[in-house]
């Protein structure tokens, strides 16, 4: 029967209570058997407790977010880094970032953008940094130089981000070297098919071939193939159906 209870709600909505109890009857004071100072002390204690609980939960939540961000950094196949434009250093990056360039984490933390940027000058790099600092997002294709000197094609995205109350650049790049190689192979193949189609159409229209004038035809096709394919020597052969052998018909050296 001789108690006082003080409660306060935490930021997450749950309630923390503090109860002070006398185990035996006490004389009447300001508030039952308690003094006003004792009631004030109880309120102070419960306030400190709730403040500590809120702080602990915020710290735990921040650590959980950091762990989640790190997990996302480590799991992605893209290179992701946070760049400090004031001190001009990378403050955080995933393993893919340094490994894609052949550096250890310690080595990459010490290098600058110009050490691995194979295309852009310092002025171009600074212009991109300024654009992002002004709130723009920038995306472009460029080339990176690895520690061993190998040149790799990459697709780069730069976006502004605030971390710890300070402005940073989020730098993300994806290696597209194999993709560019496949695109070039497809382009070369398409060009070759165009050339072949043009050659076939032109050959099929030669009157010497239509009329069966093989000597004239061999000279014409030799000249044409040399010009079309830009080669120095062309050798024309004809299969003799009866003998089932290849017969050399003409050989001309062109293009000194």
């Amino acid at each position: 029967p001789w108690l006082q209870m003080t409660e306060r709600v935490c930021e997450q909505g749950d309630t923390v209570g503090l109860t002070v109890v006398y185990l035996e009857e006490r004389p009447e004071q300001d508030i039952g058997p308690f003094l006003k100072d004792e009631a004030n002390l109880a309120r102070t204690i419960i306030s400190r407790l709730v403040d500590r609980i809120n702080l602990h939960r915020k710290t735990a939540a921040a650590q959980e977010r950091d762990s989640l961000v790190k997990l996302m950094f480590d799991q992605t196949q893209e290179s992701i880094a946070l760049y400090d434009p004031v001190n001009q250093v990378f403050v955080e990056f995933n393993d893919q970032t340094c490994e894609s360039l052949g550096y250890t984490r310690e080595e990459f933390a010490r290098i600058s953008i110009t050490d691995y940027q194979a295309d852009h000058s310092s002025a171009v790099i600074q212009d991109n940094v300024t654009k992002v600092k002004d709130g723009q997002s920038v995306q472009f294709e460029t080339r990176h130089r690895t520690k061993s000197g190998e040149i790799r094609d990459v697709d780069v995205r730069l976006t502004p981000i605030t971390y710890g109350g300070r402005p940073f650049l989020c730098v993300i790049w994806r290696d597209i070297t194999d993709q560019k190689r496949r695109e070039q192979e497809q382009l070369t193949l398409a060009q070759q098919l165009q050339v072949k189609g043009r050659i076939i159409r032109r050959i099929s229209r030669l009157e010497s071939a239509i009329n069966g004038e093989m000597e004239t035809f061999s000279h014409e096709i030799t000249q044409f193939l040399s010009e079309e394919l830009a080669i120095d020597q062309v050798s024309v052969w004809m299969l003799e159906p009866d003998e089932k052998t290849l017969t050399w018909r003409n050989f001309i050296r062109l293009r000194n």
Side-chain angles (χ1 to χ4, degrees), residues 107-123:
E107 291 171 335
F108 185 79
R110 295 194 297 266
I111 68 174
S112 63
I113 296 178
T114 54
D115 291 323
Y116 65 82
Q117 172 55 249
D119 287 342
H120 294 173
S121 64
S122 298

Side-chain angles (χ1 to χ4, degrees), residues 61-163:
Q63 292 174 345
E64 185 177 352
R65 285 194 299 270
D66 289 344
S67 298
L68 180 59
V69 170
K70 186 177 186 304
L71 178 62
M72 295 171 62
F73 267 38
D74 293 340
Q75 292 296 320
T76 182
Q77 296 301 309
E78 294 184 328
S79 301
I80 305 178
L82 289 181
Y83 181 73
D84 182 351
V86 176
N87 298 312
Q88 299 182 353
V89 294
F90 289 101
V91 297
E92 186 59 74
F93 49 88
N94 64 351
D95 291 339
Q96 178 65 19
T97 300
C98 52
E99 291 174 358
S100 66
L101 296 174
Y103 292 98
T104 65
R105 293 189 65 86
E106 292 75 16
E107 291 171 335
F108 185 79
R110 295 194 297 266
I111 68 174
S112 63
I113 296 178
T114 54
D115 291 323
Y116 65 82
Q117 172 55 249
D119 287 342
H120 294 173
S121 64
S122 298
V124 173
I125 294 173
Q126 185 57 47
D127 181 61
N128 286 331
V129 171
T130 300
K131 289 179 180 178
V132 180
K133 287 173 62 179
D134 292 340
Q136 301 182 46
S137 294
V138 180
Q139 182 169 2
F140 52 87
E141 289 186 9
T142 184
R143 297 185 303 161
H144 284 172
R145 182 186 301 104
T146 67
K147 181 181 177 181
S148 64
E150 181 184 5
I151 302 300
R152 307 290 295 181
D153 295 296
V154 292
D155 178 76
V156 180
R157 299 190 303 277
L158 307 177
T159 54
I161 188 173
T162 300
Y163 181 72

Side-chain angles (χ1 to χ4, degrees), residues 168-204:
F168 287 88
L169 275 67
C170 180
V171 184
I172 302 176
W173 72 73
R174 178 172 55 90
D175 192 307
I176 58 173
T177 304
D178 293 339
Q179 174 185 327
K180 298 283 283 188
R181 176 182 53 78
R182 289 192 296 270
E183 290 175 353
Q184 184 58 46
E185 290 175 350
Q186 293 173 354
L187 177 61
T188 301
L189 177 60
Q191 292 172 340
Q192 290 174 346
L193 291 175
Q194 290 177 354
V195 171
K196 289 179 180 178
R198 188 164 60 247
I199 290 174
I200 292 173
R201 287 193 298 273
R202 184 168 177 180
I203 290 176
S204 65

Side-chain angles (χ1 to χ4, degrees), residues 8-47:
R8 183 176 171 185
V9 179
C10 296
E11 292 180 353
Q12 292 188 348
D14 49 343
T15 301
V16 176
L18 173 66
T19 302
V20 181
V21 181
Y22 281 120
L23 300 181
E24 59 183 19
E25 185 177 2
R26 307 287 293 182
E28 287 292 321
Q29 301 292 339
D30 301 322
I31 307 173
F34 299 97
L35 299 172
K36 289 182 180 180
D37 290 342
E38 291 177 313
N40 292 335
L41 177 61
R43 284 192 292 269
T44 300
I45 292 174
I46 197 65
S47 296

